[in-house]
Structure formats: C-alpha cells, structure tokens
C-alpha cells in the first residue's frame, strides 16, 4: 500500500536515486531545511509493505508568481500575459528502482491534489512547473500545457486540476 507523508528527519534518504543528481541533491541536502523555513512542502511516497522510511519518490510544492498567457477574447490568436500567483510543482522525482511502475502518475496526482486543497484556502488560479523534454509527456497526460517551451514551463488551470482529482 502506497502512502504519502510530509518529509521528516526520520525518512531514510541516503539510498534514494532518481537518476538525476540535482533532484537527489535537493531531497537529501536542501528539502528539509527549506521546509522548516516555510519555503516549500515536500511529500514523500512510501510503500508500507517496504517499510515507512525509504521513499519511492517525492514531490516538492511551493508558491510562485509568473506571467501566464491568456487569450484575448476578441482575437483568440493574440495571447496576453497577466502576472499571477500560482502553485508550483517545484520538484518531482521517483527512485530508479520503481521505474515503469506508475509511480510518476501517482506523484503527479498527489501534487495536483495538494495544490487543489491549497487553492480552497487561498487564491491560486493554476499550477506552474518547469520540466525537461523527457518529463513533459507525463505532465501533458494530465492536461498541463506549454507556456514557454524553450524554458520548459508548463501550466494547468486550477479548474482542470479540480476536475482531475474531483475535489469540490
């Protein structure tokens, strides 16, 4: 059975390997301190059958501001940008030992769910993330669309996010 827990000191992070040294380094060296400072919330995915301490993956969520393109209602081909405060999926990684087992989908769904819950309490019109070309197809399956493909920025409106996780 898979569960999510907020990152804590007792989680065994030393053996986590995502295949990306930046994602591994963030989890092992920065995430807990940033969480203690209130900059981010990190959720660890655990398999209770494998023990409660070793993560299968993690997500890190924060808030940010970004210029989000909106279509002009008079001319649908003209995009205008408005500055918005949005939820941000700052980091998402799964352990290489769990590759191909649907962990990425589980992590994205939990990230969306957590963002929808936050949006019930504060104004968050959408979810922003930065991804690689390799990671983009996972997010596209959930309705994220490119807002700046060159820089790897994607966006999911909160109305779509609510529909995905079915939280009212």
């Amino acid at each position: 059975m898979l569960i999510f827990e907020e990152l804590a000191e007792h989680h065994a992070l030393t053996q986590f390997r995502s295949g990306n040294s930046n994602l591994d380094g963030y989890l092992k060296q920065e995430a807990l301190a940033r969480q203690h400072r209130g900059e981010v919330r990190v959720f660890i995915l655990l398999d209770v059958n494998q023990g409660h301490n070793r993560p299968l993956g993690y997500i890190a969520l924060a808030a940010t501001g970004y210029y989000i393109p909106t279509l002009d209602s008079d001319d649908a081909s003209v995009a205008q940008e408005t500055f918005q405060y949005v939820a941000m999926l700052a980091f998402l990684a799964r352990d290489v030992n769990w590759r191909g087992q649907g962990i990425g989908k589980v992590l994205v769904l939990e990230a969306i769910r957590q963002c929808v819950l936050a949006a019930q309490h504060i104004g968050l019109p959408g979810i922003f993330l930065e991804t690689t070309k390799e990671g983009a197809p996972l997010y596209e399956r959930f309705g994220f669309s490119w807002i700046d493909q060159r820089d790897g920025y994607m966006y999911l409106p909160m109305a779509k996010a609510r529909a995905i996780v079915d939280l009212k």
Side-chain angles (χ1 to χ4, degrees), residues 5-143:
E5 289 182 1
E6 193 167 316
L7 177 63
E9 287 84 358
H10 71 272
H11 290 117
L13 306 178
T14 57
Q15 294 181 350
F16 182 82
R17 302 277 184 277
S18 69
N20 180 309
S21 61
N22 291 330
L23 294 173
D24 295 348
Y26 177 81
L27 178 64
K28 296 172 185 180
Q29 299 162 9
E30 294 182 52
L32 196 57
R34 288 181 179 271
Q35 184 167 272
H36 285 315
R37 290 193 302 264
E39 298 171 12
V40 68
R41 284 291 168 259
V42 180
F43 297 92
I44 302 293
L45 178 63
L46 304 164
D47 183 345
V48 294
N49 299 322
Q50 302 272 330
H52 267 29
N53 292 333
R54 189 168 174 210
L56 284 62
Y58 76 95
I59 55 174
L61 304 172
T64 191
Y66 193 77
Y67 286 92
I68 305 297
T70 55
L71 293 179
D72 184 317
S73 59
D74 296 328
D75 181 359
S77 66
V78 178
Q80 297 185 5
E81 294 182 339
T82 58
F83 184 84
Q84 298 178 18
Y85 291 103
V86 294
M88 179 174 65
L89 174 50
F91 294 96
L92 179 149
R94 56 104 190 92
D95 192 287
V96 294
N97 295 315
W98 292 88
R99 184 175 289 157
Q101 297 185 43
I103 298 301
K105 178 181 177 181
V106 172
L107 292 166
V108 173
L109 281 171
E110 181 64 11
I112 293 170
R113 189 182 79 77
Q114 290 290 341
C115 291
V116 168
L117 289 171
Q120 291 176 344
H121 301 283
I122 60 173
L124 294 170
I127 305 168
F128 171 86
L129 62 84
E130 180 180 354
T131 188
T132 62
K133 290 178 184 174
E134 297 79 23
L138 174 64
Y139 301 114
E140 288 172 334
R141 281 183 287 224
F142 289 94

Side-chain angles (χ1 to χ4, degrees), residues 138-149:
L138 174 64
Y139 301 114
E140 288 172 334
R141 281 183 287 224
F142 289 94
F144 282 86
S145 58
W146 289 104
I147 55 175
D148 186 338
Q149 196 165 4

